[in-house]
Amino acid sequence: MATALRFNNAALRPVLSSVRSPAKTIAFNGLRCYSSAKTQTLKESLAEKLPGEIEKIKKLRNGYGSKVVGEVTLDQVYGGARGIKSLVWEGSVLDSEEGIRFRGKTIPECQKLLPKAPGGEEPLPEGLFWLLLTGEVPSEQQVRELSAEWAARSDVPKFIEELIDRCPNDLHPMAQFSLAVTALEHESAFAKAYAKGMPKSEYWSHTFEDSMDLIAKLPTIAARIYRNVYKDGKVPAVQKDKDYAYNFANQLGFSENKDFIELMRLYLTIHTDHEGGNVSAHTTHLVGSALSSPMLSLSAGLNGLAGPLHGLANQEVLNWLQKMKKQIGSDLGDKAITDYLWSTLKSGQVVPGYGHAVLRKTDPRYVSQREFALRHLPDDPMFKLVSQVYKIAPGVLTEHGKTKNPFPNVDAHSGVLLQYYGLTEASFYTVLFGVSRAIGVLPQLIIDRAVGAPIERPKSFSTEAWAKLVGATL
Ligand code: AMX
């Protein structure tokens, strides 16, 4: 049966003719387009939704544009803009008590609803990308086609392989990753079209193409870094009939273990998106607002993810746990753990993997990883240590009295799962996070371009000017 797509927004009409599908040819005819195949591609689904989304925003702004949405205190200005409502992020909203919802769905709901690999238990990250971008849960067939499309786009240019190969092994994997993603600028459809001159209505389409290419190429880039730094430098080819996480696991060298592949599917799904204000998401969006290509925008976000207070924490956690284990040995008693936590705090360090700028409860991303561990590695000594820290740390951090959230975040658990399966190189962990984060932040970049989000430019003042503003004499 033919699928009819209706478009009611003139601004989008010119780009519709550029909607590409590897599986079929689509003819556009005025406000309608017809596809002879049964399954709608992601780009078709998005193209169909965008006019409605643009209208929604227009209506909201027309009716309520001058409504006051909050007030800002001087403490917030000096306090890292914490809690200032100033961003639009469609894919997810973070509740301080409940945790993240992706398009209104909790992690357990996503685990239930999103398509899985044949015989698999965990959701495929392809499905989450679809959900974040369109707000809809894709069918199994749509996810299979997206897996195939990402596999088809996965080739990495030779000069980027050489660039990675020339990096010294002691250059941090995140720096190598960001370097390679920046260099992908060479392939940017958006940058090329912009240089030639394109109407604004075409921005989202080129951003979509670049984002798909980027996501498709990231595992091959990441695996090359991993294999160069820690292994034999050889990276297996992408298997065109396999899903994204399978291929990534295979390229890293772990496809023998089906549980590791399932872990990768879960890991790549839950690390994607955490609303818009975190450093990696906000940076990608901010840089993108200058119409920098998705490649340049994402690499900027990755540089933020590489900080120890953000994504690098998952590297820090494993190193910290290993040091603890070395010191306390097999004594996992409450006193030994309590003492170690206090020694960390007293030396002026943070307890990695604990605390959060928004969350005030245990991170549901932590919970889903804990549940995975309980199913697959309940007797692993490092998991037992993580569980003991989970029991003791909230009390110690509360007594310490500084952090507003004494509970674990996503990074408190991931390293322990990875090391169990043999991926023990903690300095690589944030690269895995980065591959997943791309799947979360690029949908918003595509939406930003479709809705015509302007260049971001908040106002700053010097301390003298702030003092004047609040009537203070310094
Ligand atoms: N251990 C010790 N002290 C902590 C702490 C922790 N885990 N978390 C927060 N604090 C301290 C802060 O350093 C701050 O101290 P200061 O007043 O001397 O500067 C004080 O408690 C108040 O901080 P906060 O308002 O509770 O947190 P924040 O919003 O400023 O920072 C975060 C949030 C995540 C950076 C912080 O909790 C932290 O450093 N945690 C450890 C690192 C970590 O796990 N990062 C990963 C976060 C998740 C992610 O992005 N991937």
Side-chain angles (χ1 to χ4, degrees), residues 82 309-310 313 345 350-357 397 402-404 409 411 433:
R82 205 70 84 253
L309 295 187
H310 192 19
L345 291 167
V350 293
V351 174
Y354 279 73
H356 199 273
L397 284 166
K402 271 187 157 189
T403 175
K404 294 187 187 70
N409 59 57
D411 297 317
F433 197 158

Side-chain angles (χ1 to χ4, degrees), residues 245-324:
Y246 172 91
N247 269 315
F248 193 19
N250 187 41
Q251 290 186 302
L252 291 169
F254 293 88
S255 64
E256 304 283 282
N257 192 322
K258 71 174 185 29
D259 290 345
F260 180 85
I261 297 164
E262 280 297 296
L263 174 64
M264 263 304 102
R265 290 171 179 145
L266 177 67
Y267 183 105
L268 293 177
T269 298
I270 64 174
H271 284 77
T272 47
D273 197 27
H274 217 226
E275 73 167 39
N278 65 75
V279 169
S280 51
H282 186 195
T283 307
T284 305
H285 163 79
L286 169 68
V287 174
S289 82
L291 296 185
S292 305
S293 74
M295 288 67 178
L296 297 182
S297 306
L298 179 67
S299 66
L302 291 173
N303 288 339
L305 191 71
L309 295 187
H310 192 19
L312 201 79
N314 64 3
Q315 156 185 326
E316 304 286 275
V317 168
L318 192 70
N319 291 338
W320 177 77
L321 288 169
Q322 277 166 341
K323 269 193 222 149
M324 186 188 324

